[in-house]
């Protein structure tokens, strides 16, 4: 595509040039995500921004929205790689612009995916400033996405949104020091394993088991007592088995630490 851009110049072939920029942005996004390379992600963002020199909203509203949606995805990844909240803020703005054109009535799938991307970005943004409102906005965006993304038509997107809702609810409870969100979070994580089964996706299944362990551990600390502690251990042990089956052992030491802490808390009761 770099070579194509020397032939398809913006002045002579503006639509081909913009399409090449968009494709280049997608390639750099994939490379940057796979290798966690901030420079590649920055190149991706620059390419999507360049495409909008041709994809102006007035003439090409859907292409304009697409370039902002793609930019939002890249900036969200860049925020994760660099751990810089400003990239999450920029991603929120990009998704917001995409949603100016993507409407549920006319572009339901793109609207839902932009809502899901916005919800994910807001969740990660909340990690940097511990703002309950941002978490609530994250939950609302992902719940909006689920109005369109169903387990039948988009199972992976549906499961990812459910998992994200559960994580945000769990974090919201921790932030507000309350157990009132635990039932909703548990329901979201339980829904997720309808898609991320142990047989089909052992790694994702293991992470969900870990999340459910956190639910029961939290519930125990809010007065649930020994049965909840024991359920937490059961889910953490399931998670360890899943991580082992998936060949991903990095989380196992942390999971062992959780189990040890739960056992110590039981011994103090």
């Amino acid at each position: 595509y770099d070579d194509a851009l020397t032939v398809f110049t913006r002045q002579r072939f503006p639509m081909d040039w913009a399409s090449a920029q968009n494709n280049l942005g997608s390639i750099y996004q994939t490379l940057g995500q796979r290798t966690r390379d901030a420079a590649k992600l920055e190149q991706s963002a620059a390419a999507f921004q360049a495409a909008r020199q041709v994809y102006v909203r007035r003439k090409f509203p859907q292409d304009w929205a697409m370039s902002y949606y793609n930019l939002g995805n890249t900036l969200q990844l860049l925020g994760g790689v660099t751990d810089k909240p400003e990239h999450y803020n920029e991603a929120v703005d990009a998704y917001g612009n995409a949603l100016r054109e993507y409407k549920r009535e006319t572009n339901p799938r793109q609207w839902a995916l932009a809502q899901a991307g916005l919800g994910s970005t807001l969740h990660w943004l909340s990690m940097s400033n511990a703002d309950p409102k941002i978490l609530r906005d994250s939950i609302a965006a992902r719940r909006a996405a689920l109005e369109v993304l169903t387990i039948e038509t988009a199972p992976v997107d549906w499961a990812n949104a459910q998992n994200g809702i559960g994580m945000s609810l769990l974090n919201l409870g921790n932030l507000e020091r309350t157990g009132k969100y635990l039932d909703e979070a548990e329901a979201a994580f339980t829904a997720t394993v309808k898609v991320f089964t142990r047989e089909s996706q052992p790694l994702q299944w293991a992470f969900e088991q870990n999340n459910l362990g956190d639910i029961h551990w939290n519930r125990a600390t809010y007065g649930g007592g020994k049965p909840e502690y024991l359920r937490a251990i059961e889910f953490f042990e399931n998670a360890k088995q899943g991580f082992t089956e998936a060949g991903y052992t990095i989380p196992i030491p942390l999971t062992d630490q959780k189990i040890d802490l739960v056992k110590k808390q039981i011994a103090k009761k």
Side-chain angles (χ1 to χ4, degrees), residues 35-154:
T35 61
R36 293 185 60 80
D37 186 333
K40 290 286 190 298
L41 292 171
E42 287 167 355
Q43 287 175 289
S44 170
F48 290 136
Q49 288 165 336
R52 281 203 314 281
Q53 295 176 31
V54 173
Y55 295 151
V56 295
R57 185 182 183 189
R58 183 181 68 260
K59 293 182 178 179
F60 308 105
Q62 294 302 303
D63 293 315
W64 179 86
M66 174 191 66
S67 71
Y68 266 117
Y69 171 72
N70 291 337
L71 177 62
N73 290 340
T74 290
L75 290 168
Q76 182 181 177
L77 291 169
L78 188 58
V81 169
T82 63
D83 200 27
K84 292 181 178 178
E86 57 262 35
H87 294 308
Y88 291 129
N89 282 313
E90 292 167 352
V92 168
D93 290 341
Y95 288 126
N97 277 319
L99 288 165
R100 292 167 67 187
E101 287 296 332
Y102 288 152
K103 303 299 181 184
R104 183 182 175 187
E105 297 74 23
T106 53
N107 305 91
R109 178 166 173 77
Q110 287 306 120
W111 174 85
L113 291 175
Q115 291 283 3
L118 177 61
S120 177
T121 303
L122 288 167
H123 175 85
W124 293 115
L125 181 60
S126 74
M127 307 288 275
S128 66
N129 59 13
D131 185 343
K133 182 183 183 303
I134 294 178
L135 280 170
R136 292 192 186 94
D137 289 344
S138 169
I139 293 164
R142 278 169 158 154
R143 283 178 170 161
L146 289 175
E147 295 172 12
V148 173
L149 303 174
T150 67
I151 191 171
E152 293 80 16
T153 60

Side-chain angles (χ1 to χ4, degrees), residues 181-192:
Y181 304 110
L182 291 175
D183 288 349
E184 289 179 87
E186 182 179 21
F189 292 139
T190 302
T192 304

Side-chain angles (χ1 to χ4, degrees), residues 13-24:
F13 304 98
M15 295 305 295
D16 292 316
W17 180 86
S19 178
Q21 290 285 1
N22 186 65
N23 291 333
L24 193 61

Side-chain angles (χ1 to χ4, degrees), residues 217 229 233 256-269:
W217 192 7
Y229 283 120
I233 292 173
D256 280 329
Q257 289 177 26
K258 288 183 175 183
I259 292 170
D260 288 342
L261 284 170
V262 173
K263 288 179 177 178
K264 288 177 182 178
Q265 289 174 344
I266 293 173
K268 290 179 180 179
K269 298 297 179 180

